[in-house]
Amino acid sequence: IKTKAMGSMTSSLTLLRFIHLSPGASKDYLSSHTLTLLNPHTYPSNADTLSIHLPSSAISHLSDERILALFTKGFFGGPIFRIESWLLRAGLWKIIGIPQEATQAAQQIWDVSKISTERMLPLYSTVEGAFQVLESHLPSEEHHHPQYSFIDFSYGTSTSHFAGNHRFIVRRPSSLSSPWQLLDPQHPQSANPSEDEEVALLQESMTDSLCKDDVEIRLEMYYCDPIHPKGTWATKVNWFHTLYGRLLFWEGVRRVVRGGEEERQRKQA
């Protein structure tokens, strides 16, 4: 993305052109505690990954936590999510359920305008009663692995017919130098496409597809029917889930870019 185009991105559809969709998800994600909790029997599931590379000049002055907070605000607080928000508030959240009961320390967000743009939501917080933070990570000297930041929002339970998760990810150049594999959730152990054509394998490197100063924002999406061994309608709506996810991802990235512009203007004032 050219820096000079950033100014118009927050108010146009320009960003959609730079969003890349890949089938599958990373090995770290597919083997995560979150997905094990949602789908303990590893029944049929679907996974896709959306990503975009933003120039460091646009958001480098924002911390990983700030980027994830802004992305969360845009994802759940934009007009694309509004209809789903209305349905959840009308009672749909009671049908969907959440993986774990909220703890006393957790935040329960019913007004998405109150989602912080400075800090990630605490563990077990819920948004609209249906999306719960099950896992998050910010690299530090004590907890360096993985070398990228993320936060998981899960919906549904391991005893429902429909459950899933959205993992929001920020990766800096220091963690982009190693290849990133995207695997089919049904064949996560296979890393050789010649052995299994159903594996979606994507190799990215700084030299091939990434400028050394780029910051990557990524959304890994996963959904399943955790109680049906052959899968049901919940695993056969991939086209809708991908389209809807793409629009929500666009809203999240748009909010990050706008936040970067606002921060830059504040520092220049």
Side-chain angles (χ1 to χ4, degrees):
I1 301 176
K2 300 298 184 182
T3 304
K4 66 180 181 181
M6 300 299 290
S8 63
M9 283 184 175
T10 58
S11 59
S12 70
L13 297 176
T14 307
L15 275 172
L16 283 171
R17 295 170 43 210
F18 299 97
I19 295 174
H20 180 69
L21 170 67
S22 302
S26 66
K27 185 176 181 180
D28 280 352
Y29 182 49
L30 294 178
S31 61
S32 67
H33 167 72
T34 295
L35 299 194
T36 300
L37 182 67
L38 288 176
N39 191 9
H41 304 295
T42 62
Y43 286 159
S45 59
N46 290 89
D48 291 296
T49 298
L50 293 163
S51 62
I52 190 168
H53 298 155
L54 299 176
S56 180
S57 58
I59 59 173
S60 63
H61 47 289
L62 300 178
S63 67
D64 283 11
E65 183 171 19
R66 182 84 194 282
I67 292 173
L68 288 172
L70 286 165
F71 186 90
T72 301
K73 180 88 166 186
F75 190 93
F76 291 112
I80 301 299
F81 187 76
R82 195 162 297 157
I83 294 178
E84 184 174 354
S85 177
W86 290 339
L87 291 173
L88 290 170
R89 293 184 199 181
L92 183 61
W93 68 274
K94 297 179 182 179
I95 300 174
I96 296 176
I98 55 176
Q100 296 183 4
E101 292 295 330
T103 65
Q104 291 183 349
Q107 295 183 24
Q108 297 182 351
I109 306 292
W110 290 100
D111 181 355
V112 292
S113 67
K114 294 182 180 180
I115 294 176
S116 172
T117 57
E118 300 288 338
R119 296 284 182 264
M120 295 191 303
L121 292 177
L123 197 64
Y124 303 127
S125 295
T126 59
V127 177
E128 303 287 15
F131 295 89
Q132 186 173 43
V133 179
L134 284 191
E135 195 173 354
S136 63
H137 174 76
L138 293 172
S140 65
E141 292 183 2
E142 294 79 15
H143 302 91
H144 191 59
H145 182 78
Q147 294 180 326
Y148 53 86
S149 302
F150 71 85
I151 185 169
D152 284 346
F153 286 90
S154 298
Y155 53 91
T157 72
S158 60
T159 59
S160 64
H161 276 288
F162 187 50
N165 178 265
H166 300 302
R167 172 168 286 192
F168 306 160
I169 299 171
V170 175
R171 295 205 298 161
R172 302 279 180 172
S174 59
S175 63
L176 287 169
S177 57
S178 59
W180 183 278
Q181 295 181 345
L182 299 187
L183 305 177
D184 185 326
Q186 300 310 306
H187 306 83
Q189 303 305 318
S190 176
N192 190 341
S194 64
E195 296 178 0
D196 191 338
E197 294 183 356
E198 295 187 61
V199 173
L201 177 62
L202 176 66
Q203 296 283 2
E204 293 184 334
S205 68
M206 292 174 63
T207 55
D208 292 339
S209 61
L210 195 62
C211 296
K212 65 178 181 179
D213 292 328
D214 280 357
V215 176
E216 182 183 51
I217 298 177
R218 194 177 273 259
L219 167 63
E220 292 189 298
M221 304 178 291
Y222 177 95
Y223 56 98
C224 65
D225 181 339
I227 62 176
H228 201 291
K230 293 186 179 180
T232 58
W233 65 269
T235 57
K236 296 176 172 46
V237 290
N238 191 50
W239 67 270
F240 173 78
H241 198 266
T242 300
L243 175 61
Y244 188 47
R246 191 183 191 95
L247 293 174
L248 290 172
F249 181 74
W250 167 68
E251 289 274 32
V253 174
R254 196 162 66 121
R255 186 65 184 88
V256 171
V257 173
R258 187 163 77 248
E261 291 177 346
E262 292 169 352
E263 181 67 16
R264 187 166 54 252
Q265 291 173 3
R266 185 188 67 80
K267 289 185 176 181
Q268 291 175 349

